[in-house]
Amino acid sequence: MSEQNFPRLQNDSILRAARGEPVDTVPVWIMRQAGRYLPEFRELRAKHDFFSICQTPTLACEVTLQPIKRFPLDASIIFSDILVIPQAMGLVVEMKPGIGPVLPEPLIDPSHLSKLRIPDVEKDLGYVGAAITLTRHSLQGKVPLIGFTGAPWTLMGYMIQGGGSSTMAQARIWLYKYPEESHKLLQMITDVIVDYLVMQVKAGAQLLQVFESHGDFLNTELFKEYSLKYFKQIRDKVKEKLEILNVPAVPMIAFPKGANLDSIEIFAKEAGYEVIGLDWTIDPIEARKRVGPNITLQGNMDPTALYATTEKVRQRAENMVREFGKGRYIANLGHGVLPDAPIPSVEAFIEGIHSV
Ligand code: 1CP
């Protein structure tokens, strides 16, 4: 597949860090960097429904570029949501302001698996590809563009709970009560994810991140069986399919949020991702000891630390780089930036990272 005549990349520090090559300054991006903490996003969002923005390439592109215009970030991430997959599989997903995603007809028991359809990814999610291609051109080579997906267990959680949950109890019950059907559902989701990520790379995504936002709810045993297993499949099949299509592979970032150090160590040995994202509970020095020298780490300042004084934010960002070290490291928060995060703190965070 051709490079679609994309503009030449001017800042490749995140790609270098992902590949383990030296960088002058540590690359930084912020999970959820295109979103509600930006007044220009809120202004656009007041005029458009959430999923209409995702489905309209010019709007998705505009929102993706908003943080890039404001801050000296080293990567952009395409504006979309992880819930576009359950939607493409036939479930209704509504985005309720102040609440978040709501799925009014969730999967109650395995008989509901018959409600799901196998989407034609190029057709049903082609709007994400179109947004990626347009954004690659509009970025004019300033920074690389990240594509993303939710991981299978995280998406399964929303499909069963019908929205966010502080316990994921119904979804966890499925794992014990219906293990076979849980694997069947996870496999269906995995197959869609693989085609979806391949489509994103063909469209121009230069890195891919897989968000396991509900990793918190899995102990090491469940993590191996219901998360790691599918992470591996995604990585192997995406690389295999791209090779068959003669499309160059791109670095893959896994974000197993809430995974403990034991799970992270196993993940590093087995999953085959170039980059592992850490949440803010993980100690950088301990994480490096566990994963060894050949994996890039990403993260992990506590998003609520942005509410300290800007001077403290800058210092904390500098200290974080010193702890992780400048090699094989991508700076980020340990989870998404909060909807009312102070913008001067976001600026101080980025400045602190780049100053080391
Ligand atoms: O800038 C970016 O990062 C790109 C846009 C992006 C991404 C990467 C959005 C826009 N969502 C996501 C990923 C996403 N969506 C995740 C993984 C990251 C994480 O763990 O934070 C998750 C869990 C979701 C699901 C979701 N969508 C939630 C969380 C609900 C819960 O369980 O508590 C919410 C609130 C949304 C809505 C959403 N997605 C994105 C935005 C800007 C918004 C706000 C919606 C609005 O404007 O009304």
Side-chain angles (χ1 to χ4, degrees):
M1 201 79 32
S2 79
E3 269 267 293
Q4 311 185 28
N5 290 321
F6 288 132
R8 208 174 70 82
L9 187 59
Q10 294 152 32
N11 172 354
D12 65 349
S13 69
I14 190 170
L15 297 176
R16 296 179 63 82
R19 293 191 295 247
E21 296 165 10
V23 292
D24 292 332
T25 54
V26 164
V28 54
W29 69 283
I30 296 175
M31 288 188 275
R32 302 293 197 99
Q33 65 190 24
R36 291 167 292 177
Y37 72 108
L38 292 178
E40 55 272 36
F41 173 77
R42 291 196 296 270
E43 198 181 307
L44 188 129
R45 177 73 175 86
K47 292 187 235 145
H48 304 275
D49 165 71
F50 179 81
F51 286 111
S52 307
I53 303 177
C54 299
Q55 289 159 9
T56 311
T58 49
L59 294 177
C61 171
E62 183 180 337
V63 177
T64 303
L65 294 180
Q66 284 175 348
I68 304 304
K69 288 183 179 149
R70 232 184 217 275
F71 310 116
L73 291 157
D74 297 293
S76 56
I77 178 162
I78 192 65
F79 186 82
S80 182
D81 196 79
I82 63 169
L83 292 164
V84 298
I85 287 189
Q87 214 171 38
M89 292 176 81
L91 295 180
V92 173
V93 184
E94 293 158 8
M95 201 55 84
K96 299 244 161 107
I99 300 175
V102 175
L103 292 75
E105 292 170 41
L107 308 176
I108 306 290
D109 64 51
S111 72
H112 284 173
L113 290 179
S114 62
K115 294 206 281 193
L116 298 177
R117 59 186 281 272
I118 310 286
D120 173 343
V121 165
E122 300 268 348
K123 193 167 133 274
D124 300 323
L125 292 165
Y127 62 86
V128 178
I132 287 175
T133 304
L134 176 64
T135 306
R136 259 303 285 278
H137 284 291
S138 307
L139 276 165
Q140 300 180 309
K142 215 170 161 194
V143 291
L145 178 60
I146 304 172
F148 72 91
T149 178
W153 156 248
T154 292
L155 294 179
M156 171 178 171
Y158 284 112
M159 290 161 88
I160 290 171
Q161 299 290 150
S165 158
S166 57
T167 62
M168 287 289 145
Q170 292 310 316
R172 278 156 54 218
I173 287 172
W174 265 60
L175 302 182
Y176 292 103
K177 193 171 175 187
Y178 314 118
E180 259 174 51
E181 292 87 349
S182 294
H183 277 302
K184 189 174 165 202
L185 173 56
L186 290 165
Q187 189 60 57
M188 281 175 83
I189 302 170
T190 299
D191 293 343
V192 180
I193 287 173
V194 168
D195 288 344
Y196 182 49
L197 291 179
V198 168
M199 188 267 286
Q200 293 188 41
V201 176
K202 279 165 61 186
Q206 290 152 294
L207 285 108
L208 296 171
Q209 173 151 322
V210 182
F211 286 94
E212 188 72 289
S213 304
H214 298 163
D216 316 44
F217 301 102
L218 302 177
N219 61 27
T220 307
E221 182 197 336
L222 292 182
F223 180 78
K224 280 194 235 168
E225 183 170 352
Y226 293 105
S227 178
L228 174 61
K229 177 177 165 174
Y230 295 98
F231 261 107
K232 276 193 218 166
Q233 249 196 61
I234 291 168
R235 188 260 177 198
D236 289 347
K237 290 189 178 165
V238 167
K239 302 241 168 179
E240 200 179 290
K241 288 201 174 192
L242 288 172
E243 202 174 317
I244 292 169
L245 291 168
N246 216 5
V247 177
V250 303
M252 294 179 70
I253 308 169
F255 178 48
K257 180 175 176 290
N260 58 37
L261 278 167
D262 290 338
S263 298
I264 289 167
E265 186 174 338
I266 301 165
F267 196 96
K269 278 205 188 88
E270 297 186 11
Y273 284 68
E274 285 82 358
V275 185
I276 300 181
L278 306 175
D279 71 44
W280 70 93
T281 66
I282 301 293
D283 179 67
I285 293 167
E286 201 51 41
R288 177 53 78 196
K289 274 194 214 145
R290 298 288 196 106
V291 307
N294 298 325
I295 281 183
T296 299
L297 291 173
Q298 174 176 280
N300 72 342
M301 194 175 91
D302 185 341
T304 61
L306 289 177
Y307 296 77
T309 61
T310 50
E311 199 35 52
K312 275 262 158 36
V313 170
R314 192 189 326 269
Q315 274 170 16
R316 199 162 261 126
E318 289 173 19
N319 287 341
M320 182 169 82
V321 177
R322 292 199 187 96
E323 285 202 324
F324 275 102
K326 286 180 75 170
R328 288 221 91 134
Y329 175 51
I330 298 167
N332 205 317
L333 299 178
H335 197 200
V337 59
L338 294 171
D340 62 353
I343 287 176
S345 291
V346 173
E347 285 164 350
F349 175 70
I350 298 168
E351 270 170 35
I353 302 293
H354 283 160
S355 72
V356 182

